[in-house]
Amino acid sequence: MLNLDRLRSLQAVAALGSVSGAAAVLHLTPSAVSQHLRKLEQETGHQLVTRTGRGVELTPNARLLAERARHILALVDETEAELQSRNDHPVGRLSLGAFPTAARGVVPRALRILSERAPQLEVRVRELDHDSPLAQVERGELDVGIAQDWEHMPISWTGNLRRRLLMVDTACVALPADHALADRTAVRVSELADASWISRPQRSTCHEWLMHTMREQGAEPRIVHMVAEHPTQIALVSAGVGLAMVPSLGLGHLPKDVVALPVEPSLTRRIYAVWRPEAAVRPSVRVTIEALAEVGSTLHA
């Protein structure tokens, strides 16, 4: 009999193209995934992978099995969802993926709500830095994701997912308190064309958004520092070595020598909860979305 955990490993390798990628989303070690593949070869009597210099390649038999596994695992998930829908209270485990500012500014408050309303629900949070959660939600690796959709860089939504707007977040420019523009109530984007910028790393949404926004003004942004965390950006602004464009959700507590001003025209992003349509029958998914929406409405108020 085919083992479901081993089928999940094979399907993840097929979807992500590597053992290490599959291990990351399944919360396993690469050696554990490789062991699942070896045991699956023993169960089926077929070679499923060929070792290459850079990793593994799936054989035609493996690709056939991975495609069947996708349908099998989807049916298992649907069955579990239907059984969960017959419970009076949300129970079991739920995986929630969010980009960093939402993981810090939205998720903890939602978890506090869930601890009171659904104490039997175990929520596992995964912070996603560069990657959007959409593909992981669609593949069933996440039950609920939190996605961001910048006004200038909209998401290409797939028809296979459902979404709910949680809040609208506005970007601010963080400046040293002694900066020439610091006493203004707002700053025009065009006035920042010659600024030195502290940006998040390449491939991050915020970096790409900064590049896109400034190039729309006919300016090539001069990036002098790249750091991963918004608090570190703020610390560098405090040191007077550049400016940072930071979403309001990422500002946190500002030091006295840093000010954050809105920009004109306003730069906004929409923050959504996303889930698979078939998952909506699960009380755990519904209560989680409601908790996220409640937090979002409070932050947007």
Side-chain angles (χ1 to χ4, degrees):
M1 181 178 295
L2 295 174
N3 179 282
L4 291 180
D5 288 336
R6 294 165 194 163
L7 289 178
R8 287 191 191 278
S9 290
L10 175 64
Q11 197 270 333
V13 170
L16 298 170
S18 70
V19 169
S20 59
V25 301
L26 295 173
H27 299 286
L28 298 172
T29 63
S31 61
V33 172
S34 296
Q35 186 177 26
H36 279 177
L37 296 179
R38 287 194 296 270
K39 290 185 176 180
L40 199 54
E41 286 181 326
Q42 296 171 4
E43 289 176 349
T44 62
H46 290 284
Q47 182 179 1
L48 299 178
V49 297
T50 56
R51 270 66 185 180
T52 66
R54 296 184 177 180
V56 299
E57 290 184 2
L58 298 185
T59 65
N61 285 333
R63 296 195 179 280
L64 171 64
L65 183 57
E67 179 61 21
R68 297 291 171 84
R70 185 172 66 85
H71 295 291
I72 292 168
L73 295 171
L75 181 59
V76 171
D77 289 343
E78 290 174 11
T79 303
E80 289 179 345
E82 185 174 350
L83 289 173
Q84 281 192 21
S85 71
R86 301 185 181 190
N87 288 325
D88 294 331
H89 304 288
V91 296
R93 181 180 297 171
L94 179 136
S95 55
L96 171 63
F99 55 91
T101 50
R104 181 170 60 249
V106 176
V107 171
R109 305 184 195 195
L111 292 179
R112 188 176 298 116
I113 293 172
L114 290 171
S115 68
E116 298 173 356
R117 298 180 184 172
Q120 293 180 290
L121 178 62
E122 179 186 350
V123 180
R124 294 198 170 183
V125 177
R126 187 185 307 166
E127 183 178 283
L128 308 172
D129 193 3
H130 300 315
D131 299 324
S132 167
L134 301 185
Q136 295 187 39
V137 172
E138 193 167 7
R139 290 195 298 261
E141 296 158 11
L142 292 172
D143 297 307
V144 178
I146 302 180
Q148 56 183 332
D149 181 29
W150 285 98
E151 184 176 356
H152 293 356
M153 300 175 63
I155 289 177
S156 296
W157 291 102
T158 171
N160 296 329
L161 296 178
R162 297 292 181 266
R163 65 183 185 268
R164 178 169 175 176
L165 180 65
L166 302 179
M167 62 179 292
V168 176
D169 194 19
T170 304
C172 297
V173 59
L175 314 95
D178 58 359
H179 191 278
L181 300 174
D183 60 350
R184 303 271 292 276
T185 57
V187 179
R188 295 195 63 79
V189 174
S190 58
E191 296 178 279
L192 304 171
D194 297 326
S196 297
W197 290 101
I198 303 159
S199 172
R200 296 196 75 232
Q202 293 180 353
R203 285 191 65 233
S204 67
T205 303
C206 288
H207 174 83
E208 297 301 324
W209 168 81
L210 173 63
M211 302 297 288
H212 177 85
T213 299
M214 299 310 297
R215 285 169 178 169
E216 276 196 331
Q217 302 295 319
E220 185 65 22
R222 187 162 67 95
I223 309 297
V224 294
H225 301 288
M226 281 190 179
V227 296
E229 300 293 336
H230 290 306
T232 309
Q233 286 182 289
I234 298 300
L236 291 173
V237 172
S238 176
V241 297
L243 311 184
M245 199 76 78
V246 182
S248 297
L249 199 56
L251 285 173
H253 178 71
L254 292 177
K256 294 181 180 179
D257 55 0
V258 174
V259 297
L261 301 178
V263 294
E264 297 176 346
S266 63
L267 303 173
T268 60
R269 63 175 176 173
R270 295 169 292 272
I271 298 176
Y272 294 91
V274 295
W275 65 95
R276 297 183 306 282
E278 61 271 19
V281 300
R282 297 188 181 196
S284 58
V285 170
R286 293 199 302 268
V287 73
T288 299
I289 293 167
E290 289 301 323
L292 293 170
E294 184 173 326
V295 173
S297 65
T298 302
L299 292 171
H300 184 53

